């Protein structure tokens, strides 16, 4: 079942009050994928209360390894901006992958806060004529895995199976029961999806490249924000108990 904007509709137990879903299919044009990601971001921002975004990575054929095809640089820029918007949302992003995933799958996987895959996962990194696509996935790989492990993926461009993906920290959970794992993750993570999540996520991202002295001010500002929030929560509780 497809929505009007060609996004995948989530199962009722996940969609009802919990999440926004979008399917990422490497066979689709880059412009369509960019529009789908932005549409999901729009929906997530419009939702009231805490929520999650579920990114379903569609199965692919081996020929979908070459990506993004004949596109303009502006199309690539729009795609990268959409992904940056996605990973800055005040919601938890959960990626789900089954079987063979290619094209933009690695890009999207790396923007997720939590990644669930099946044991038969085969991730096809985007490689054109033997060369790894030099998009921002290279930057994110280094952030998430470190230079040494990222170098193995970028320079060789080998297929990544589930066992290796969990070993290097590319995914968080390998399971046959994807729907069950997704529902559990959506419920648990939806509870901490808010603006405070976005602050902590950014502190994590910055930690890899920011010297302690420069990071200290950012962390103190975040601590001050948290103290104000806790103080406001305490005041509200006192009012409610009167």
């Amino acid at each position: 079942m497809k929505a009007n904007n060609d996004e995948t509709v989530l199962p009722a137990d996940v969609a009802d009050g919990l999440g926004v879903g979008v399917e990422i299919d490497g066979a689709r044009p880059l412009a369509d994928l960019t529009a789908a990601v932005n549409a999901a971001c729009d929906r997530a921002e419009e939702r009231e209360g805490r929520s999650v975004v579920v990114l379903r990575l569609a199965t692919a054929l081996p020929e979908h390894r070459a990506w993004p095809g004949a596109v303009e640089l502006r199309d690539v820029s729009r795609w990268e901006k959409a992904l940056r918007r996605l990973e800055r949302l005040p919601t938890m992003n959960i990626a789900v992958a089954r079987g063979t995933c290619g094209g933009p799958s690695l890009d999207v996987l790396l923007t997720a806060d939590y990644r669930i895959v099946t044991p038969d996962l085969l991730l096809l990194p985007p490689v054109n004529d033997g060369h790894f696509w030099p998009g921002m996935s290279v930057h994110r790989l280094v952030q998430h895995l470190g230079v040494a492990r990222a170098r193995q993926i970028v320079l060789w461009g080998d297929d990544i199976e589930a066992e290796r993906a969990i070993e290097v920290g590319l995914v968080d959970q390998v399971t046959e029961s994807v729907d069950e794992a997704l529902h559990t993750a959506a419920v648990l993570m939806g509870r901490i999806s808010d603006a405070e999540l976005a602050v902590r996520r950014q502190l994590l991202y910055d930690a890899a490249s920011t010297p302690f002295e420069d990071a200290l001010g950012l962390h103190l500002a975040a601590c001050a924000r948290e103290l104000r929030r806790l103080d406001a929560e305490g005041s509200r509780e006192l009012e409610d108990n009167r």
Side-chain angles (χ1 to χ4, degrees), residues 88-108:
R88 285 183 163 181
L89 287 174
T91 60
M92 275 287 185
N93 300 326
I94 305 173
V96 178
R98 291 183 172 89
T100 301
C101 297
S105 295
L106 182 61
D107 272 354
V108 174

Side-chain angles (χ1 to χ4, degrees), residues 52-55 92-96 112-114 116 182 185-186 189:
V52 297
V53 174
V54 178
L55 307 159
M92 275 287 185
N93 300 326
I94 305 173
V96 178
D113 297 300
Y114 195 72
I116 305 170
L182 172 58
M189 294 183 178

Side-chain angles (χ1 to χ4, degrees), residues 30 68 71-81 133 135:
L30 183 59
V71 298
E72 298 290 337
L73 183 59
R74 63 185 177 184
D75 298 321
V76 176
S77 177
R78 288 168 181 163
W79 168 247
E80 296 290 3
K81 289 177 181 178
W133 173 247

